[in-house]
Each structure stands twice: as structure tokens, then as C-alpha cells.
């Protein structure tokens, strides 16, 4: 049983005539008659009495018709909803994002996106890079925001911007008043890092290793706010993305740029190669690029 057979059957029932039904369905009359005959053969029942100028529903046809109409209405509704889900007038987009990016980048982005596309719901999923890769590959996330490295051939990757990592120090730290701070000044310092699995912690370690020293890690946390609070309390130092600066707090770390070289991270968007971006996700990416 096929949908077009149901459509032909309903058209004949409504018009009462095979020829007029064929015109309504934009098919030839012999083709329409053949498909209804196949439907009747499958059911093992005649649906119409073929009169000379009229087609009349049999008792089986009268019982079958409401169900056929309901099936077609449900199919049409499902088609409309599926198309609307990826529309810019309504629908939903799921954005995966790192916890070290979400609270600083997303509020303004979501506000701007919602102002432009008020009918689209934005769902945010915060997680580690490894977990975001899994969710995005499984198409549970439409588009994800993370930082390099992201060596995975399953994804299309779009670089968005580079961001400086600033040195965060307690207020009374010896380096606060030093005009130029270089990596060698950090050799004996204790570091507070993001918990293992969070890429920012790995990026700080990688930067230190490239400067030929292994930092003393005194503490780890899964929250950027906690890391900065521990720095302020004198537990150690860390590197903080510029977007995460605590500018609105009376008690906050002191931030300084490192030189020779200045550490950075590259923020990217990524999505599955086998699943082109839908309209809402493409609009989200365009807004991020802008």
C-alpha cells in the first residue's frame, strides 16, 4: 500500500469520477485506475462500484475512506512539521559549547540570534571537547563551538577567531608590578588548572611544555569561576581566556599579558561532514562569523 494510491482513492471518493480524480491528481486516468485496482487487490476488497458515469463507494470503501483521509492528513502534518523544524520562522537549534566559552560568548550571541529569528529555540549543551565530538557526530548537536586542536576528519571546521590567554595573578603577587612577564618567570609558580578533560587545562600545560618546563599543579576545578577564585585567594596562578576576565567583580585576580610568546587559543565551530548545516545552524554560524 502506497501513499499515492491512498491519494487517488480519496480523490475518486470526493469527485465521484475516475476522470475528474485523475485531473485533480495530475495523472492519466488509466494510471489512476490501475493504482486503485492494485490497492483493491491488496485489500482483497472492491472500494468502488464502477457505474457508467459515476464511481460509488462500496461498504468496504466507506469503511476504508476515513482511515485513508486520516493517514494522508497525518502524513501532510508530519511533512509540514519536519520542514518547519529547520525553518527560520520556527524550529530549534542545539548548540554544543565548551564551559570555558559558554557563559562569556553565548549571552550576546543568543540575544542577537533570538532578536533576528524569534521563532527558533536555541538549546545549549555545555561539555568537554571529547563529549562534544561524540554528540555532534551522532547529530545530537547541530553545531559545536570549541577550540583547537580538533583533529577529526568527521567534521567540517570553521575557524572563528584567536583569543589571548592572560596570566591571572593574586593581587599581592610579586609579578603584578613587573612591566614585562616572560614564561621563565613562571618556572617556580604553582598552577591552578581546569579539570582533566577540559581542553583549557591541556592548552595551559601544552604552552608550558613548549617553554621547556613542567608546571606544579596545586589544584584543578571544572569551573572557570572557581579557578579564578582560587587564584585570588593566593593558591596559585593560571592562564585565563580574555573573554573570561572578571571585570565586574570588586575582588578579582590581576590580569597580565605574557610576552615572548603570548599564549593564544583558536575558537572554532564544527559540524558533521555528512550532515550539511540546516537553515538555522547556517544562520547561527553566519552570526558567529559576523
Amino acid at each position: 500500500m502506497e501513499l499515492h494510491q491512498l491519494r487517488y482513492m480519496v480523490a475518486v471518493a470526493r469527485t465521484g469520477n475516475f476522470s475528474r480524480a485523475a485531473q485533480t491528481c495530475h495523472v492519466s486516468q488509466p494510471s489512476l485506475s490501475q493504482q486503485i485496482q492494485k490497492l483493491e487487490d491488496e485489500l482483497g476488497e472492491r472500494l468502488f462500484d464502477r457505474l457508467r458515469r459515476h464511481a460509488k463507494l462500496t461498504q468496504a470503501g466507506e469503511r476504508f475512506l476515513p482511515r485513508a483521509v486520516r493517514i494522508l492528513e497525518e502524513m501532510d502534518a508530519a511533512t509540514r512539521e519536519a520542514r518547519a523544524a529547520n525553518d527560520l520562522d520556527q524550529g530549534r537549534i542545539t548548540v554544543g559549547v565548551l564551559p570555558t566559552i559558554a557563559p562569556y560568548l553565548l549571552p550576546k550571541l543568543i540575544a542577537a540570534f533570538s532578536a533576528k529569528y524569534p521563532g527558533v529555540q536555541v538549546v545549549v549543551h555545555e561539555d568537554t571537547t571529547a563529549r562534544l565530538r561524540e554528540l555532534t557526530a551522532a547529530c545530537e548537536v547541530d553545531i559545536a563551538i570549541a577550540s583547537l586542536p580538533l583533529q577529526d576528519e568527521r567534521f567540517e571546521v570553521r575557524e572563528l577567531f584567536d583569543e589571548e590567554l592572560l596570566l591571572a595573578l593574586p593581587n599581592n603577587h610579586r609579578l603584578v608590578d613587573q612591566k614585562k612577564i616572560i614564561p621563565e618567570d613562571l618556572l617556580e609558580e604553582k598552577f591552578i588548572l581546569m579539570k582533566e578533560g577540559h581542553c583549557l587545562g591541556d592548552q595551559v600545560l601544552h604552552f608550558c611544555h613548549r617553554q621547556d618546563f613542567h608546571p606544579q599543579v596545586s589544584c584543578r576545578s571544572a569551573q572557570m569561576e572557581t579557578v579564578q577564585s582560587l587564584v585570588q585567594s593566593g593558591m596559585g596562578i593560571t592562564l585565563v581566556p580574555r573573554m573570561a576576565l572578571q571585570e565586574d567583580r570588586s575582588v578579582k585576580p590581576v590580569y597580565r599579558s605574557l610576552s615572548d610568546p603570548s599564549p593564544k587559543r583558536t575558537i572554532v565551530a564544527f559540524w558533521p561532514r555528512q550532515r550539511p548545516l540546516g537553515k538555522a545552524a547556517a544562520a547561527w554560524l553566519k552570526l558567529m562569523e559576523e
Side-chain angles (χ1 to χ4, degrees), residues 22-281:
Q23 292 174 359
T24 301
C25 296
H26 306 290
V27 294
S28 67
Q29 192 269 329
S31 177
L32 180 139
S33 297
Q34 183 183 43
Q35 290 301 318
I36 291 181
Q37 182 64 58
K38 286 183 178 180
L39 178 59
E40 290 176 323
D41 290 344
E42 182 175 348
L43 293 171
E45 295 286 346
R46 281 187 306 105
L47 297 174
F48 295 99
D49 287 325
R50 277 86 164 162
L51 307 178
R52 186 170 183 180
R53 296 181 179 274
H54 185 66
K56 182 182 178 182
L57 285 168
T58 62
Q59 287 188 2
E62 290 176 352
R63 302 273 310 260
F64 185 81
L65 179 62
R67 298 278 187 177
V69 170
R70 194 177 308 166
I71 290 170
L72 292 173
E73 288 176 344
E74 287 292 327
M75 193 62 205
D76 289 343
T79 301
R80 288 194 302 271
E81 290 179 10
R83 289 172 177 168
N86 197 32
D87 200 358
L88 291 177
D89 294 327
Q90 56 183 307
R92 182 178 67 182
I93 176 176
T94 302
V95 179
V97 62
L98 295 178
T100 57
I101 296 176
Y104 316 110
L105 186 64
L106 288 193
K108 289 183 178 180
L109 262 177
I110 293 176
F113 186 84
S114 296
K116 197 169 185 179
Y117 308 108
V120 180
Q121 179 189 15
V122 180
V123 178
V124 176
H125 187 101
E126 294 183 54
D127 220 318
T128 63
T129 301
R131 182 64 180 146
L132 290 180
R133 286 203 306 263
E134 294 177 7
L135 293 171
T136 307
C139 297
E140 295 182 32
V141 163
D142 297 307
I143 188 168
I145 311 170
S147 60
L148 295 180
L150 189 71
Q151 298 173 339
D152 197 321
E153 294 183 355
R154 294 176 297 174
F155 303 116
E156 293 283 351
V157 179
R158 185 75 54 84
E159 293 189 12
L160 300 174
F161 60 90
D162 290 330
E163 180 186 28
E164 182 183 10
L165 300 180
L166 297 171
L167 183 65
L169 304 165
N171 289 345
N172 59 354
H173 196 276
R174 63 182 178 85
L175 294 174
V176 166
D177 296 323
Q178 188 167 309
K179 290 185 178 180
K180 183 179 180 180
I181 304 175
I182 60 176
E184 286 79 0
D185 294 324
L186 312 180
L187 294 180
E188 303 302 322
E189 298 292 335
K190 293 182 179 179
F191 277 73
I192 301 169
L193 301 180
M194 293 290 289
K195 190 177 179 181
E196 292 178 0
H198 290 266
C199 63
L200 181 59
D202 295 336
Q203 289 162 350
V204 174
L205 289 175
H206 184 61
F207 172 76
C208 295
H209 294 164
R210 282 187 300 167
Q211 309 311 312
D212 297 324
F213 77 95
H214 294 271
Q216 304 175 50
V217 179
S218 63
C219 187
R220 287 181 178 267
S221 173
Q223 301 296 328
M224 191 75 255
E225 296 292 317
T226 304
V227 169
Q228 296 198 68
S229 294
L230 290 172
V231 168
Q232 176 54 31
S233 70
M235 294 287 293
I237 67 172
T238 194
L239 294 179
V240 176
R242 179 172 286 278
M243 68 171 67
L245 267 58
Q246 297 177 330
E247 297 177 349
D248 58 347
R249 290 183 54 177
S250 57
V251 179
K252 60 185 180 182
V254 175
Y255 304 102
R256 294 288 183 266
S257 292
L258 274 170
S259 57
D260 303 326
S262 176
K264 291 180 172 59
R265 69 174 180 173
T266 300
I267 306 301
V268 300
F270 67 95
W271 62 93
R273 288 184 185 276
Q274 80 277 9
R275 186 193 188 198
L277 289 177
K279 292 180 182 178

